[in-house]
Amino acid sequence: MMGERTQMQEALFYEFSLERHVPADHLLRAIDRFVDLTEMRSHLKAFYSDTGRPSVDPELMIRMLIVGYCCGIRSERRLCQEVHLNLAYRWFCRLGLEGRVPDHSTFSKNRHGRFRDSDLLRHLFEAVLDRCIEEGLVGGDGFAVDASLIKAEASRQKGVEGTSGLPPHSTGRAAREYLATLDDAAFGAATEVTPKFISPADPAARWTGAHGGQAFFAYSTNYLIDVQHAIIVDVEATTAIRQAEVLAARRMIERSMDRGLYPERLMGDSAYGSAEMLAWLVHEHGIEPHIPVFDHSGRRDGTFSRADFAYDHGRDLYTCPGGAELRAFRRPGKTGANVDALGLMRYRASKHDCDACALKPRCCPKEPARKILRSIHEGARDMARDIAATPVYATSRRERKKVEMLFAHLKRILKLDRLRLRGPNGARDEFHLAATAQNLRKLAKLIPAGTRPVTA
């Protein structure tokens, strides 16, 4: 006979355990082993009063944010709903069955106040990184650096001409943060070029067409990773231009060294291959640059390029394909600075030698004599070129792709292809939380319960 569902009756007593209802292979159960927030209270203690009503537990809010970024829940309103309904989320947040989920507005109030004033999210990222180091997942042999554009919470249709400046009605928090970062080399002072458009909603976001399609407002998230297990050892938010990204790489490397992490080699793309950056790596920190040299000395008109001229280190001169010498100083006895504002030295051939040379049409057909520009940091550039010819460099090129895979994971799995918060501080908060979530997921993947970390 056909059964009929009976009416649900409320029991007087329940015996229910969240612990038994969270699967052993659940992501949050694997992550929970590495989340230790005991020190977070010490960072926040000075920002709470000793009297008054108890506040929402900051550890609860941090755990909820970890859930949101690990599971790709971008909206804090939706996050509160999911934590209220999902048993695994309740278990991870230590709420139990009867625990009350805080209102979504609580996150905004704490983010713009206590969390930023105490730099809590940076401390959270560093605490997880310390755990990665303790578990042996950071080797320190090779680091890779790269940046990726993340769309800002700003409409491209509502942008105003950059030459007209910030609109008078832009007085919100994002506008104040923009004005506060005008002298920061990672934002306003990164370049003197006026942006084509400015967003009144988020003026610090940079108008960029780097992706080749429609231009948009964006920030750059910069990652420095250890290539052994692709652990993020530092993260920084900057404006979306190359100069700021190179500066962020320097800052992240210096902070890593302050933590006792000294990489032997650094991998990156040609954006980090400028003469100044290579010299900074080689001469100041002794790091091997596994980076393509940023070089525009090649010619496309069929004439000789600088690579066709041999440089003599001992005599400090170039020899052309015809055998003539190009010197930095042509006059006898003349010495002194021959360096321009860009750090380039000029080596010139004699007009007499060039006029008599049969190769002049292939060398300097439109000039009386040939000249060669050489950077004062050319030694570091030569070292990078020599490394590029080794088999180790080919391995480094493959390993560098691990940072690109992290950016793909960031956008496709964690859903951070567009920012939800505005201003430089909002971008910084989101990037720190996302990097923390990625490191936690990596810990959970590489160190199953009851095992030791894997080895390379």
Side-chain angles (χ1 to χ4, degrees), residues 185 187-194 206 239 241 243:
F187 287 96
T191 178
E192 296 179 356
V193 178
T194 302
R206 189 80 181 187
T239 188
I241 58 174
Q243 297 92 319

Side-chain angles (χ1 to χ4, degrees), residues 220-231:
S220 285
T221 177
N222 299 268
Y223 277 5
L224 180 68
I225 73 165
D226 183 283
V227 295
Q228 182 178 4
H229 292 297
I231 296 296

